[in-house]
Amino acid sequence: MSKDKKTKEKSTKKALIILISALAICFLAGYIVGKIMGKVEKTQSFDAVVTAIRAFALDAIPILFAVVSLLGCLLPVIAYARCNMLYKQLQKDRENDDLWDTLEEKLNVPMIMSNIFSIIELCLFFCFLYDVEKGYGKVSGYQSAMWVIAVAMFVITMAIEILIPKLTVDIEKKLNPEKRGNALDFQFRKVWMSSCDEAERLIVYRAGYQAFLSTNVVCLILCIVIFIFTFLFKTDIMGFVYVCMILLVNNVSYMMRAAKLERRR
């Protein structure tokens, strides 16, 4: 048997195992949810559990928002400070290729942290405002102060998370003078890509395709989870619709762009 045929059979078996495992997990999840729903219908106590979970979540959001905001200020700054320190060391020893490669790798850290924390903080910020609007702090009389504190924390953390990528890009531009673009400019990505070589663009394309695949998988999983939670927690169906809209936009934009690029060939 040839090597290619063995590889093909191995790939087929692996795909079959993954499919069977996924079906088994879905069956098990459905069985567990069914058992829970059966017990809930008998005891009629699930509403109290849901109410307690929601109350706990509303109380935890302000604390979570404060913690994430603090980490969002500190961790990207610390990561950038380390990169800046490595850059100063490299200025003294420009021929050190290992130090150069280490710095290039470390420059990804503050960028990744800033992006992740900015998204999480945006989510928690609106959750916090919703929490305050629902009455958090009203009993103690500091509801208005909570609005001011939330907005101030959000503005400060977002300013830091915008500034850190800008400073990180500046270091990258010093290392590679051919790179162009201002990280605070709305056209930055377009200008930056135009200054990248073919290898760097290929990395971006591969990363973008992986993001496309990951988004599809996550959206499909969310569709299943939200559909189950709609019956389990008696929630609105709009969450399911929103996820399907994201899935639709993700796939349509990819296919339309691919078709347009094929016509240019």
Side-chain angles (χ1 to χ4, degrees), residues 1 74 123 141 189:
M1 186 179 293
L74 292 178
C123 175
R189 296 184 186 278

Short mmCIF file of all heavy atoms in Angstrom, two decimals, residues 1 74 123 141 189:
data_model
loop_
_atom_site.label_atom_id
_atom_site.label_comp_id
_atom_site.label_asym_id
_atom_site.label_seq_id
_atom_site.Cartn_x
_atom_site.Cartn_y
_atom_site.Cartn_z
N MET A 1 0.85 -1.20 0.00
CA MET A 1 0.00 0.00 0.00
C MET A 1 0.88 1.25 0.00
O MET A 1 1.83 1.35 0.77
CB MET A 1 -0.91 0.00 1.23
CG MET A 1 -1.94 1.13 1.24
SD MET A 1 -2.99 1.08 2.71
CE MET A 1 -3.90 -0.43 2.39
N LEU A 74 -2.85 47.42 33.41
CA LEU A 74 -1.52 47.01 33.88
C LEU A 74 -0.80 46.07 32.91
O LEU A 74 0.35 46.33 32.53
CB LEU A 74 -1.64 46.34 35.25
CG LEU A 74 -2.04 47.24 36.42
CD1 LEU A 74 -2.16 46.43 37.70
CD2 LEU A 74 -1.02 48.36 36.60
N CYS A 123 -17.66 44.75 26.41
CA CYS A 123 -18.80 43.92 26.79
C CYS A 123 -19.22 44.18 28.24
O CYS A 123 -20.40 44.42 28.53
CB CYS A 123 -18.44 42.45 26.59
SG CYS A 123 -19.70 41.28 27.17
N GLY A 141 -28.10 54.88 47.20
CA GLY A 141 -28.10 56.27 46.76
C GLY A 141 -26.90 56.69 45.95
O GLY A 141 -26.65 57.89 45.80
N ARG A 189 -4.51 49.99 8.62
CA ARG A 189 -4.36 48.61 8.15
C ARG A 189 -4.06 48.56 6.65
O ARG A 189 -3.23 47.76 6.20
CB ARG A 189 -5.61 47.80 8.48
CG ARG A 189 -5.86 47.66 9.98
CD ARG A 189 -7.05 46.77 10.27
NE ARG A 189 -7.36 46.75 11.69
CZ ARG A 189 -6.75 45.99 12.58
NH1 ARG A 189 -5.80 45.16 12.19
NH2 ARG A 189 -7.09 46.03 13.86
#
